[in-house]
């Protein structure tokens, strides 16, 4: 197995399309090796962070999400650390809300503040 080592950061938004995210994560993990995700509050309601942890190296949540998920260990890197760590930043699924927040430059949560701090080009997949 020959991996192209890269740090892939995936922003997971809340949408019914979230059901496809584990297959993307599996492929990215196989291909690049290092995959961490940032889950929005609505994504965490649809699929618990503890489930998503099975498909990646670390799950990052907003501070208010930590209280409701005390049974799961979550990494606590800041948005600046995450932006510097990532070689690629992918938003899956790209909801209209996340696209509009990114377009307007709003830092409403951990995902969008990390996106604002990220120096490269982000990829939005629906």
């Amino acid at each position: 197995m020959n991996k192209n080592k890269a740090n892939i950061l995936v922003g997971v938004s809340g949408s019914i399309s979230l059901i496809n995210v584990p297959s993307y994560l599996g492929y990215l993990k196989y291909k690049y090796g290092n995959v961490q995700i940032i889950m929005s509050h609505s994504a965490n309601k649809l699929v618990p962070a503890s489930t998503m942890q099975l498909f990646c190296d670390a799950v990052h949540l907003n501070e208010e999400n930590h209280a409701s998920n005390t049974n799961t260990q979550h990494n606590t890197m800041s948005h600046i650390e995450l932006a510097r760590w990532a070689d690629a930043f992918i938003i899956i699924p790209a909801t209209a809300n996340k696209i509009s927040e990114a377009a307007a430059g709003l830092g409403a949560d951990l995902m969008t503040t990390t996106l604002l701090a990220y120096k490269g080009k982000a990829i939005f997949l629906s």
Side-chain angles (χ1 to χ4, degrees):
M1 182 165 83
N2 186 11
K3 291 183 182 177
N4 301 322
K5 283 291 192 182
N7 297 327
I8 309 298
L9 184 60
V10 178
V12 180
S13 307
S15 165
I16 193 63
S17 299
L18 177 64
I19 196 78
N20 298 320
V21 171
S23 60
Y24 284 109
L25 294 175
Y27 173 77
L28 292 170
K29 183 84 174 134
Y30 170 77
K31 183 78 174 167
Y32 299 105
N34 302 316
V35 177
Q36 295 188 28
I37 65 173
I38 300 172
M39 290 185 74
S40 70
H41 181 70
S42 55
N44 192 35
K45 283 184 173 180
L46 291 170
V47 177
S50 57
T51 301
M52 295 304 282
Q53 179 70 51
L54 299 171
F55 303 100
C56 64
D57 298 315
V59 175
H60 304 277
L61 299 171
N62 288 325
E63 197 61 40
E64 66 270 9
N65 287 349
H66 285 288
S68 63
N69 290 295
T70 54
N71 297 343
T72 308
Q73 290 183 343
H74 302 288
N75 200 328
T76 56
M77 291 173 71
S78 73
H79 66 286
I80 301 296
E81 292 171 313
L82 286 168
R84 288 180 182 161
W85 175 85
D87 295 319
F89 195 171
I90 306 169
I91 309 294
I92 310 171
T95 61
N97 188 48
K98 286 300 171 197
I99 294 170
S100 66
E101 286 177 359
L106 297 175
D109 59 9
L110 180 60
M111 187 185 316
T112 53
T113 55
T114 305
L115 186 59
L116 291 172
Y118 182 65
K119 301 281 188 208
K121 295 179 181 178
I123 301 168
F124 290 81
L125 299 174
S126 56

